[in-house]
């Protein structure tokens, strides 16, 4: 009798184990995608989590600056460990395309994208898409400036005034695509020699060069530094959270970015990488940024963007030459010159 009673119990247990195994197998069948993300960390994390929730595909994702990721992809070229790279300023993406590190992909929904996003595909042989856009500007802590008796900066010319010595923070161009966009923009705007003269003067006022272009906004908001130079959208979250932060677009004009997205050549999980890519470029993925406080202008124009995203219509933009300044040799040349002529100077 005890033996006959045990049979249903064993059968039930076996069925439960089989069900768990089947469920685990189904989840495992969805697979993984290995991603690198260079935009704001909260956007990177939220997008990965939501994509996994919707698809069952696990996202193994690291957050790094575009300069760091470009170097990583070059180091891994013979044995790629990354499937997709997204977010962050576009020049390093174009340089990776030039180096043969990316796969061509022209999505079927390309007509859903803004013209500036489509232009990136044409420029890169379909290896790089335009993910979002934003402009270089200043963010400053109004309380700190008032306490120190300093005026609010409005122009590039203001930042090199002696009164701002030790009050400005910007990122390092070797690791940050943001800082390279600043340098390349000033070179196009002023002429190269004049731009480097300007950068030498600016160097006297810089308190530190950070690894990432995303450090300036929190540091300014918390009063750790008075002025930060980076993409202006970075400051919006802090302004909306009632920190004493204001922004300005340089009165002389400014450069801008077209954030990148690309599939990595030799990807181990190419099908899942393409699914993640398409989701990120669709309305659901594009909307995630504003939901977590990233207020870039999205590439997909088929949905209504968050009203908190700052308009760029009133910003005086330079005619940024993405093709020339997206070349690896040009980036390397300008950064080398900056390292020798600017970073090496005493403050």
């Amino acid at each position: 009798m005890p033996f006959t009673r045990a049979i249903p119990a064993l059968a039930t247990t076996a069925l439960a184990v089989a069900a768990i195994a089947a469920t685990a197998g189904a989840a495992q069948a969805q697979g993984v995608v290995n991603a690198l993300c260079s935009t704001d960390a909260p956007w990177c994390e939220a997008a990965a989590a939501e994509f996994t929730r919707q698809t069952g595909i696990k996202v193994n994702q690291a957050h790094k600056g575009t300069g760091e990721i470009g170097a990583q992809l070059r180091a891994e070229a013979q044995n790629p460990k990354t499937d997709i790279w997204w977010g962050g300023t576009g020049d390093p993406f174009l340089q990776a395309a030039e180096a043969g590190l990316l796969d061509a992909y022209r999505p079927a929904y390309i007509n859903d994208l803004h013209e500036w996003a489509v232009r990136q595909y044409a420029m890169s042989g379909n290896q790089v898409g335009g993910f979002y856009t934003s402009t270089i500007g200043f963010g400053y802590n109004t309380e700190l400036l008032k306490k120190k008796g300093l005026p609010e900066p409005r122009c590039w010319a203001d930042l090199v005034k002696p009164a701002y010595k030790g009050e400005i923070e910007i990122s390092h161009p070797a690791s940050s695509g943001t800082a390279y966009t600043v340098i390349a923009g000033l070179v196009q705007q002023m002429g190269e020699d004049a731009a480097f003269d300007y950068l030498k003067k600016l160097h006297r006022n810089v308190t530190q060069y950070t690894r990432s272009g995303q450090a300036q906004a929190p540091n300014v908001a918390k009063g750790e530094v008075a002025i930060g130079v980076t993409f202006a959208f970075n400051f919006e979250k802090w302004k909306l959270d009632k920190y004493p932060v204001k922004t300005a677009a340089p009165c002389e004009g400014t450069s801008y970015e077209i954030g990148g997205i690309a599939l990595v050549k030799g990807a181990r999980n190419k099908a899942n990488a393409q699914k993640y890519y398409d989701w990120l470029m669709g309305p659901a993925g594009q909307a995630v940024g504003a939901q977590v406080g990233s207020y870039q202008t999205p590439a997909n124009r088929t949905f209504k963007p968050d009203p908190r995203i700052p308009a760029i219509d009133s910003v005086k933009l330079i005619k940024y030459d993405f093709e020339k300044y997206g070349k690896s040799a040009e980036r390397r040349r300008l950064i080398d010159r900056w390292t020798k002529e600017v970073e090496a100077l005493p403050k």
Side-chain angles (χ1 to χ4, degrees), residues 46 84 89 103 128 134 137 140-142 160 180 215 220 270 303:
I84 180 174
T89 188
D103 254 348
V128 180
S134 56
Y140 48 90
N141 186 301
T142 55
V160 296
Y180 176 72
V220 166
K270 188 171 182 177
F303 74 106

Side-chain angles (χ1 to χ4, degrees), residues 17 37 68 115 119 125 137 181 185-186 210 245 271 288 291 339 341 344:
V17 170
C37 181
E68 290 182 88
E115 186 275 335
R119 203 163 56 230
T181 302
L186 290 172
T210 62
V245 174
V288 169
Q291 292 166 8
T339 302
E341 297 184 19

